[in-house]
Amino acid sequence: MDEDTIEKYREAGRIAKEAREKGLDLLEPGVAFTKIVETVEGHIREEGAKPAFPVNISVDDVAAHYTPSIHDDATLGEDDVVNIDVGVQVDGYIGDTAATVDLSAEHDELVKASEEALQNALDIIEPGLNVGRIGEVIQDTIEGYGFKPIRNLSGHGVEQYVQHAGNSIPNIVTDTEETLKAGQAIAIEPFATTGAGEVKNGKEGNIYRLENDRVRGRMERKVLGEIKNEFRTLPFAARWITGIPRPRVETTVSKLVRAGNLHAYDVLKDKEGGMVSQAEHTVLVLDDPIVTTR
Ligand code: MN
Ligand code: MN
């Protein structure tokens, strides 16, 4: 990994951290989801970077993949356990980070469990480490608190313009030959839950990704052109599309999903409806590892 690349990862990480903290400061009962995403994504753009994906806001049993739609009027409730997951790209180099706030004051330990699991995992990162060891440390830490790690969600490599690249970084004990390579960038993201420890798909969560760009229809072509230029293959939200009149954005996006041009992500929820917390940082695997989002 050359100095220039490291510098871009550091820059993306710094902005992601600031944006995450701005978002966390807003989390209180009654605040609108749209206000959270506008503030967080606004900060990223003000800093001259771009979101690598729409800010994910996950409440209670939701683990990931929900972002407000254009006309979303959802607000946070009094007892919500809410996690925000923020991604920033600088020339395609990504910082990916998440944290959870418990507004109920009844799930402090659940929040601590994922944070401590993340810290313990970061402490052992070095080139050559078997990735199964990361899962083991995460599982041990979360189970030590009496909760379950979510087994079918994992951390991942990141590469330029690729949000999920290379090996997955398990959140449970895993028998694998895979090791960390010097010069790799990875995101580590333990999820802790009071529920099943396994997520299932829910309804669509307003997050999309380009699948193929062969399309008919003027509006559809225009939107797809914008998506290719602005987001490439990174996930995006309909509220980011500016090239056609606003009232037509969501119907056009729906058409593109039905035609197979766009993939629509489903919300992921704990199978038993347990509360979920998540903590995440991006780290450059070097002899002296760099946690870019801390
Ligand atoms: Mn993330
Ligand atoms: Mn991630």
Side-chain angles (χ1 to χ4, degrees):
M1 191 175 273
D2 60 40
E3 280 305 318
D4 194 45
T5 304
I6 291 176
E7 207 33 61
K8 283 177 177 166
Y9 272 120
R10 274 188 182 278
E11 177 77 351
R14 174 185 67 78
I15 297 167
K17 171 220 170 134
E18 290 171 5
R20 180 194 70 222
E21 294 305 306
K22 284 208 161 194
L24 292 176
D25 284 347
L26 283 178
L27 302 183
E28 60 180 24
V31 71
F33 281 30
T34 48
K35 162 113 177 170
I36 299 167
V37 299
E38 278 162 18
T39 303
V40 174
E41 293 170 1
H43 179 78
I44 294 167
R45 295 184 204 280
E46 278 162 24
E47 290 295 308
K50 287 180 184 173
F53 51 82
V55 175
N56 285 214
I57 304 176
S58 304
V59 171
D60 292 350
D61 59 338
V62 175
H65 296 173
Y66 185 82
T67 200
S69 63
I70 288 177
H71 303 292
D72 211 294
D73 56 6
T75 58
L76 287 178
E78 288 202 354
D79 293 326
D80 285 353
V81 173
V82 47
N83 116 49
I84 56 172
D85 193 332
V86 177
V88 171
Q89 55 127 329
V90 171
D91 287 342
Y93 296 100
I94 294 166
D96 185 3
T97 183
T100 303
V101 167
D102 166 33
L103 301 179
S104 74
E106 282 163 27
H107 298 284
D108 286 1
E109 293 285 296
L110 184 70
V111 173
K112 267 200 243 165
S114 52
E115 281 175 358
E116 197 176 307
L118 174 59
Q119 188 51 53
N120 290 345
L122 290 170
D123 285 346
I124 62 166
I125 297 306
E126 61 179 357
L129 180 75
N130 184 298
V131 301
R133 268 291 290 151
I134 302 172
E136 186 181 352
V137 163
I138 289 172
Q139 179 166 9
D140 283 351
T141 307
I142 291 173
E143 287 180 352
Y145 275 87
F147 304 115
K148 286 182 185 164
I150 294 185
R151 57 178 51 244
N152 59 342
L153 289 177
S154 58
H156 49 91
V158 290
E159 286 171 9
Q160 192 180 22
Y161 290 109
V162 190
Q163 170 64 18
H164 290 134
N167 39 15
S168 78
I169 310 295
N171 285 326
I172 54 164
V173 174
T174 304
D175 188 14
T176 173
E177 302 284 299
E178 286 235 38
T179 58
L180 296 180
K181 310 286 183 291
Q184 238 193 323
I186 59 169
I188 303 177
E189 49 183 310
F191 291 81
T193 181
T194 61
E198 197 177 335
V199 288
K200 63 175 184 186
N201 287 40
K203 60 181 172 47
E204 282 182 16
N206 308 312
I207 300 173
Y208 308 94
R209 189 192 64 230
L210 180 65
E211 285 270 283
N212 85 72
D213 59 3
R214 296 171 52 148
V215 72
R216 301 160 83 106
R218 203 174 62 87
M219 277 298 170
E220 287 80 355
R221 234 194 323 269
K222 222 169 168 188
V223 167
L224 223 48
E226 182 176 349
I227 291 166
K228 270 167 69 180
N229 280 332
E230 294 294 321
F231 323 129
R232 303 197 188 198
T233 54
L234 290 172
F236 65 91
R239 54 192 160 73
W240 293 356
I241 291 168
T242 57
I244 63 168
R246 195 119 230 232
R248 308 213 35 190
V249 169
E250 283 185 331
T251 48
T252 306
V253 165
S254 297
K255 270 190 200 165
L256 289 168
V257 171
R258 282 198 302 275
N261 295 105
L262 300 180
H263 171 74
Y265 290 86
D266 290 338
V267 166
L268 301 173
K269 298 176 148 195
D270 181 74
K271 270 190 168 170
E272 288 173 1
M275 293 288 165
V276 177
S277 76
Q278 176 202 15
E280 178 175 24
H281 277 308
T282 301
V283 55
L284 307 183
V285 180
L286 302 166
D287 289 327
D288 287 315
I290 300 170
V291 181
T292 62
T293 50
R294 182 148 62 190

